[in-house]
Amino acid sequence: MIETEIYVREGVDELASHYRAAIQLLGEDPEREGLQKTPMRMAKAMQVLTRGYHQDPHKVLTDALFAETYNQMVIVKDIDVFSLCEHHMLPFYGKAHVAYIPNGYITGLSKIARVVDIYSHRLQVQERLTQQIKDCIQQTLKPLGVMVVIEAKHMCMQMRGVEKQNAITTTSDFSGAFNQAKTREEFMNLLRGSSPTS
C-alpha cells in the first residue's frame, strides 16, 4: 500500500491556500469547524493523485528487465485505473488491459500495472493515457508489438453535462504485430476469456 505522506511535496501550503480561497468563493466559510482542515487535505490529496509527474515509467520497466526467448503474447488485464479528467478535474475510472509480444526481453508483470498507475496519476484524457502507456512499453521494451485497451466511466459525464451514469468509454492503441487484425482479434478473444478458434 502506498503511504500518502510520501507524496507530500514542496508547494503543499501554497496549494492549500488556493483551495481555501476556492472554498470561500463557492460561498462557504473555510473557518467552519468541518472545513478548517479541508484545504490542506485537498492539497495533499491532489499531490497524491498527480504523483505520476514525479515518477519515471521507463525506469520502472528497465528495473525489472530480463532476457527471455518467449515470443508469444503476454497479457495483463483488468488493471484498475483511476485518473483525473483534465477538462473538469473530475475522476474517471475503469480497467486497462495491456498486451505485448516480447522480442528478447520481458519485464516483471507488476511493472506493466505500475506504468498504467504512473500515467493515470496525471491530469489526463483517456485517449492520451492509452497512447502513453503503449508508447512507453514500445519504446522501452522494444517488443514485437503492444496493444492497450482502456474501458472507463467518466464522472464529468455522470455528475454533470449529459448525466449518463452507465456510459462506458473504450479506447485502444496498438503497434507492431498488433497492426494485423488477426493478432488484435486474438487479444480481444483472450480478454473475453475465449480461445481464438471458439
Side-chain angles (χ1 to χ4, degrees):
M1 178 143 178
I2 296 171
E3 290 293 333
T4 300
E5 294 303 318
I6 294 173
Y7 294 97
V8 174
R9 302 188 299 274
E10 185 179 347
V12 69
D13 293 322
E14 185 179 359
L15 191 55
S17 72
H18 288 295
Y19 280 123
R20 185 185 184 283
I23 289 169
Q24 196 162 22
L25 286 169
L26 290 171
E28 258 291 4
D29 176 11
E31 296 303 321
R32 183 164 62 79
E33 182 181 7
L35 289 173
Q36 286 177 3
K37 295 183 179 179
T38 298
M40 183 55 73
R41 290 190 189 107
M42 291 175 71
K44 289 180 178 180
M46 285 304 295
Q47 285 196 341
V48 171
L49 294 172
T50 59
R51 65 179 182 256
Y53 288 117
H54 302 272
Q55 298 172 317
D56 184 350
H58 298 277
K59 187 175 186 302
V60 165
L61 291 176
T62 56
D63 281 351
L65 197 61
F66 309 102
E68 188 60 58
T69 58
Y70 184 83
N71 62 358
Q72 300 301 310
M73 199 179 300
V74 177
I75 299 175
V76 183
K77 66 179 184 176
D78 294 331
I79 303 167
D80 290 322
V81 171
F82 300 94
S83 193
L84 287 175
C85 165
E86 66 182 34
H87 298 147
H88 303 99
M89 298 285 280
L90 289 171
F92 64 92
Y93 59 95
K95 301 286 186 183
H97 317 290
V98 180
Y100 75 99
I101 301 174
N103 185 23
Y105 291 92
I106 60 171
T107 189
L109 297 176
S110 67
K111 305 308 178 184
I112 300 295
R114 288 277 293 125
V115 168
V116 173
D117 184 74
I118 289 170
Y119 282 115
S120 64
H121 281 78
R122 301 177 181 186
L123 301 182
Q124 281 289 9
V125 294
Q126 185 175 329
E127 297 88 342
R128 184 195 310 128
L129 174 60
T130 307
Q131 184 177 41
Q132 286 177 332
I133 295 166
K134 183 266 294 180
D135 287 346
C136 177
I137 296 169
Q138 183 64 52
Q139 293 165 10
T140 308
L141 299 184
K142 296 180 172 47
L144 298 176
V146 181
M147 184 164 179
V148 178
V149 174
I150 297 179
E151 302 166 298
K153 290 187 174 183
H154 292 247
M155 296 297 282
C156 57
M157 286 182 66
Q158 294 178 308
M159 295 177 65
R160 55 163 301 286
V162 295
E163 296 185 14
K164 300 301 180 187
Q165 276 67 47
N166 297 313
I168 296 174
T169 300
T170 301
T171 50
S172 68
D173 199 5
F174 48 85
S175 65
F178 288 95
N179 283 301
Q180 299 176 30
K182 183 178 179 181
T183 310
R184 293 199 303 275
E185 183 182 357
E186 179 184 351
F187 174 47
M188 298 308 294
N189 283 332
L190 289 167
L191 283 188
R192 291 190 291 263
S194 60
S195 68
T197 56
S198 64

